[in-house]
Amino acid sequence: MTAKTCVVTGSSSGIGRAIAERFGEEGHNVAVNYRSSREGAERTAAAVEAAGGSALIAQADVTDIEAVQRMGEKVHREFGSVDVLVNNAGINQDVKFTEMTHEEWDTVLDVHLDGAFHATQTFYDDLAASEEGRLINISSIIGKGGNFGQANYATAKAGMFGFTRTLALELAPKGSTANCVAPGFIATRMVEDLPEHIKDQIREDTPLGRLGTPEEIAEIVAFLASDRSSFITGEVIDANGGKDL
Ligand code: NAP
């Protein structure tokens, strides 16, 4: 298999780390992006290398366009042109709508949507020029179904569907693809931090009776990033244990 160069935003933990490590297993070059968890990024980079890939730690707050462009220069210097971009960086600030501040609204939309915009603009030409350019956006089941206390998060994640579909159309003439993965509830710190009774409720509402694992999402991303997915574009792949909100 030919080594590809992949950028995974927000890969210092959780789903992003599992994706980076999975790319490592394929022997790819992986830029491990993070905002503040340097130690986490170092752990991810070590896992990528142990799995057989090459890793580059690439700090940048994805809400900061200049920082993302500097990250782009670093990735280009170290690895050359990028074949796969995974827009994964994400946060949540949950509060019911009547109590949500404008700052809480903006902060969440900025990370997910401005972050995806900045990273995609930075690597767009690479993806378009690559023989197998792949843009993969990590959305959420919440983008489809909404969720109490998550108006900001649900709006951001729904926005990623339209973003993906449009980028799929614009990249298609170049032969590159754009797809989205919409995970259900996955056992990462984003969900582990929830109160125990809420996690029990989630398991109960999920036909498969459990949370998903980051590795299960990484497996889908690895497929979308590979030549095995070459005729799939503009799609949202649900991975939610059968949970239908
Ligand atoms: P996580 O473990 O908290 O990981 C979030 C990652 O995003 C971290 O690496 C974090 O880096 C990074 N990040 C946050 N803000 C950033 C910024 N401004 N710039 C760069 N990196 C930033 O959460 P996760 O569950 O793996 O979430 C990963 C993605 O999956 C998110 O987009 C999330 O919305 C989505 N998702 C998660 C679930 C779930 O149930 N867990 C379900 C559906 C979708 P630092 O720690 O360095 O800030």
Side-chain angles (χ1 to χ4, degrees):
M1 185 177 301
T2 320
K4 294 181 180 177
T5 291
C6 314
V7 175
V8 185
T9 69
S11 46
S12 56
S13 66
I15 294 172
R17 172 179 290 153
I19 293 169
E21 193 172 346
R22 185 67 184 76
F23 284 161
E25 285 170 19
E26 309 256 343
H28 295 334
N29 302 319
V30 187
V32 176
N33 163 258
Y34 72 105
R35 178 188 48 187
S36 47
S37 309
R38 173 85 198 178
E39 211 182 309
E42 284 170 358
R43 271 187 56 197
T44 303
V48 169
E49 305 239 333
S54 298
L56 169 71
I57 295 180
Q59 194 281 334
D61 181 335
V62 294
T63 66
D64 177 348
I65 179 67
E66 286 172 11
V68 176
Q69 285 167 345
R70 281 194 299 275
M71 172 176 80
E73 286 161 17
K74 184 175 178 175
V75 173
H76 288 143
R77 263 196 317 274
E78 188 75 19
F79 286 148
S81 193
V82 167
D83 305 291
V84 180
L85 169 63
V86 184
N87 284 314
N88 167 79
I91 57 164
N92 60 318
Q93 291 192 1
D94 301 348
V95 53
K96 70 177 180 177
F97 183 69
T98 49
E99 287 163 20
M100 187 173 287
T101 63
H102 210 287
E103 195 186 345
E104 285 161 339
W105 173 262
D106 279 344
T107 302
V108 172
L109 265 70
D110 281 358
V111 174
H112 295 271
L113 294 180
D114 286 29
F117 174 74
H118 294 152
T120 307
Q121 278 222 321
T122 299
F123 296 110
Y124 183 91
D125 289 345
D126 293 8
L127 300 179
S130 171
E131 280 184 13
E132 287 173 4
R134 300 280 189 265
L135 172 64
I136 301 162
N137 297 314
I138 306 300
S139 180
S140 169
I141 189 174
I142 307 297
K144 291 189 163 179
N147 200 23
F148 192 94
Q150 293 199 300
N152 47 5
Y153 185 83
T155 303
K157 289 311 204 185
M160 295 187 100
F161 299 142
F163 181 69
T164 303
R165 181 74 190 142
T166 301
L167 267 291
L169 293 172
E170 296 192 10
L171 281 167
K174 319 281 184 194
S176 297
T177 67
N179 290 290
C180 201
V181 180
F185 292 86
I186 308 300
T188 70
R189 70 179 174 194
M190 198 176 266
V191 167
E192 293 294 356
D193 288 350
L194 292 171
E196 213 45 54
H197 72 277
I198 305 258
K199 284 189 278 182
D200 286 343
Q201 190 62 52
I202 291 169
R203 289 187 195 97
E204 212 169 286
D205 292 346
T206 303
L208 285 180
R210 62 175 177 86
L211 301 176
T213 66
E215 291 72 24
E216 287 173 311
I217 303 307
E219 198 54 44
I220 298 163
V221 173
F223 167 72
L224 289 174
S226 75
D227 58 2
R228 307 189 302 280
S229 71
S230 48
F231 205 50
I232 300 174
T233 195
E235 289 300 326
V236 178
I237 313 289
D238 293 322
N240 54 34
K243 184 167 165 57
D244 189 14
L245 279 170

